[in-house]
Amino acid sequence: MDRTLYVDKYYMTEVDTFEDSIYCHHALMGESFISEHSHIKGQFLYTEGGIVFLRTDEKSYFLPARHYIWIPGGIRHSIYPSSPEVVMRNLYFPKFDTDTDFYDKVNIYPVNDFLIEFIMFTNRWTGNIFPGEDAKFSIAKAFKLILPEISQTELPLALPYPKHEKLKAIVNYLEQRIEENISFKNLANEFEISERTLARLFQRELNMSFIQYYTILRMLTALKLLLDEKASVNEVATQVGYSSLPTFSNTFNKVIGVRPSEYVKNKNLLL
């Protein structure tokens, strides 16, 4: 790929110019973020060279290496890469009669070897691909159609945004003290709220329990540290509040789908 090609404001202009086209765009970020926007077409986004945070009105998503995110049309979102050197690989698809409810949800999925091969194949494509133009459209359409079949495992790499003011402060408190193992009881005492009320607050505002939220927050932070830093797995475990390496490893595997030692082993390959 021509490494001098940077992201322009294609998401505001060319993506939806033609209703029935598939739009393809590969580019270096070249900037620290892409501001909030939306498009009519659904977006397949895969990145290389770093990690990406993607925010919608409802959640904050964490897109690590060797994973892709599907963004339905009409969803307002902003994109924050870990580095301007992150490469974005995008395919934007119009709706097809064969679309299922799979395409109606924002979700993150692991990328297998087949998807990697196809993504690399599309590296030579730029701009609009029109139906009937050549084989590229049929190939890209087939790619979209098989996504539900080969994307069986949704990864919970997202956290909802709290809207309740006290819960915002609580979540910020947890994020700032991620290296501590904060108990539910101590958290309630810190914010002068009963444990029962706090439990209800998490469930009502975030649709998950405190322990679910806290665990995912710690694992996403650990994943970022493993990708960005040169710390060992044991050091990362300590940095996210785990004194037991086996417990950290088991929890990481349950949430992320792979053990941290295996993730570190394959990190250079994944990036």
Side-chain angles (χ1 to χ4, degrees):
M1 190 180 87
D2 180 3
R3 302 289 289 186
T4 63
L5 178 61
Y6 290 89
V7 169
D8 56 20
K9 304 307 179 186
Y10 61 92
Y11 50 82
M12 295 181 179
T13 56
E14 298 181 21
V15 170
D16 293 323
T17 300
F18 300 98
E19 183 180 355
D20 61 348
S21 72
I22 295 172
Y23 192 86
C24 184
H25 191 93
H26 300 266
L28 276 170
M29 280 292 298
E31 53 189 308
S32 58
F33 74 99
I34 293 179
S35 59
E36 189 179 59
H37 63 283
S38 66
H39 24 74
I40 297 171
K41 292 174 181 171
Q43 179 180 1
F44 172 96
L45 170 60
Y46 175 81
T47 62
E48 299 170 357
I51 55 178
V52 164
F53 291 93
L54 185 142
R55 295 178 179 174
T56 68
D57 289 339
E58 299 297 328
K59 292 184 178 181
S60 177
Y61 294 86
F62 180 94
L63 183 61
R66 210 175 172 92
H67 295 78
Y68 81 87
I69 187 168
W70 175 262
I71 309 167
I75 299 293
R76 295 196 63 80
H77 58 281
S78 52
I79 299 173
Y80 303 79
S82 59
S83 163
E85 295 303 306
V86 169
V87 176
M88 294 177 59
R89 303 193 183 278
N90 300 278
L91 285 168
Y92 297 85
F93 295 93
K95 283 186 175 295
F96 297 132
D97 293 339
T98 50
D99 283 2
T100 64
D101 58 4
F102 170 89
Y103 304 101
D104 296 331
K105 299 174 291 184
V106 180
N107 266 322
I108 292 173
Y109 305 92
V111 171
N112 62 18
D113 290 340
F114 170 79
L115 287 182
I116 290 287
E117 289 294 326
F118 181 86
I119 293 165
M120 292 302 101
F121 181 75
T122 67
N123 185 45
R124 69 193 75 176
W125 300 351
T126 301
N128 289 291
I129 303 169
F130 297 99
E133 183 181 77
D134 54 36
K136 289 191 293 186
F137 187 90
S138 297
I139 294 170
K141 181 177 180 179
F143 173 77
K144 180 187 179 184
L145 294 179
I146 65 172
L147 286 179
E149 189 68 28
I150 60 179
S151 304
Q152 299 291 323
T153 306
E154 301 176 12
L155 293 182
L157 303 179
L159 284 172
Y161 279 140
K163 297 180 180 178
H164 191 281
E165 289 303 320
K166 174 154 278 190
L167 193 54
K168 284 182 182 179
I170 290 171
V171 165
N172 183 64
Y173 180 86
L174 293 173
E175 290 175 347
Q176 296 300 317
R177 294 164 178 79
I178 198 71
E179 75 284 356
E180 300 176 24
N181 189 5
I182 301 173
S183 71
F184 187 67
K185 181 178 181 179
N186 289 342
L187 185 65
N189 289 338
E190 176 69 27
F191 285 87
E192 300 179 341
I193 187 173
S194 73
E195 293 181 44
R196 185 178 182 182
T197 300
L198 183 58
R200 287 178 173 176
L201 193 59
F202 267 92
Q203 199 64 52
R204 185 182 72 239
E205 296 293 326
L206 302 177
N207 198 32
M208 62 178 67
S209 68
F210 161 75
I211 193 62
Q212 287 174 317
Y213 185 94
Y214 193 30
T215 299
I216 294 174
L217 175 64
R218 294 162 92 185
M219 291 307 103
L220 295 189
T221 303
L223 188 57
K224 182 179 185 300
L225 291 171
L226 288 171
L227 287 169
D228 285 355
E229 307 294 337
K230 295 181 179 179
S232 68
V233 172
N234 193 54
E235 289 171 332
V236 169
T238 301
Q239 289 175 34
V240 295
Y242 282 81
S243 57
S244 167
L245 185 57
T247 300
F248 168 71
S249 180
N250 290 336
T251 305
F252 188 94
N253 185 42
K254 184 177 180 180
V255 174
I256 306 301
V258 64
R259 293 198 175 276
S261 56
E262 186 177 347
Y263 211 97
V264 170
K265 182 180 177 182
N266 295 318
K267 183 169 65 172
N268 291 334
L269 174 64
L270 297 181
L271 290 175

